[in-house]
Amino acid sequence: MQAVVKDGTQVTASTYDLNFDGTNLVLTRASDGKQTTITPFPQTGPQMIDGVEYNISGVPATGDHVEVRPVANAASAFSVAVKDATKVALAAPITTSAPTSNTGSGKIDAGSVDATYLQPGNALTAPFSLTYDSTANTLSGFPATQDVTVTPPGGGTPVTYPAGTPVPYADGAKISFGGISVSITGKPANGDQFTIGPNTNGVGDNRNGVLLAGLQTKNVVGGSATFQSGYAQMVNYVANKARESQISMTAADGAVEQAAKAQQQLSGVNLDEEAANLLRYQQAYQASGKVMQVASQLFDVLLSLGR
């Protein structure tokens, strides 16, 4: 089984137990007992559960199980990778611009990249320009080997256009290709151009720095808490559990002490009490002996009177 974290915002702090009951593979979340069945099985592709992608092969036996701990060692390998502040990549890897010679009101945003930008052939080595055709209402000039996906403003169903074909223009639409996403707004004029290129030096660009600083207030822990609040929750949870354990230990010690006292009351030996009982038994024995002595003397007197 392979379990790979794909979406850190969905990962929980719980452990998981994957069990095979003879028919189904069932993943149980320990924190609340929620169960998710791996379907179909055998798998035809990986399945994402709580931000973790599961890929299972082979034939398990009934009763086989695997424990999954997505965050068990999450912080064990933390270290400082960059100690020179000048080497921190505070700028984004791309830059955009619109020439002053444009006659329309079209504007292009700063753009962004995702993880696929790092794949071979996607990273830009030189700038290129998109040209607007007012007659066809299209943009052309995209990289010849990359498909272009257009997402309507405000969301909606993305449409993908084959590499090398003009792309219809929509005000504010998200245009994505090769790990790059940009948006053009306004009403460009025929022949207006919008340039996209590599941000070689990154001078005056702090977009990555702003995004990094934004993590302080972004809900990235389980999708509902910041790093700071998530840490505070963890400390609070551990402290509460530790205090509960201390209280339980004190209560258990008290119960043991009470049980020991009750047992001693029933079966314990009090030396003072036993000594007093011995004296009492001794005196009773002596008194009984005296009674027997008097009775013997009386019996002798009665016999002498009969003679």
Side-chain angles (χ1 to χ4, degrees), residues 75-85 87-88:
S76 62
F78 271 13
S79 62
V80 179
V82 179
K83 298 182 180 179
D84 184 353
K87 294 182 179 179
V88 177

Side-chain angles (χ1 to χ4, degrees), residues 118-144:
L118 299 177
Q119 294 179 359
N122 285 347
L124 297 179
T125 57
F128 66 91
S129 295
L130 303 179
T131 303
Y132 177 68
D133 182 347
S134 61
T135 303
N137 191 37
T138 58
L139 290 167
S140 60
F142 293 94

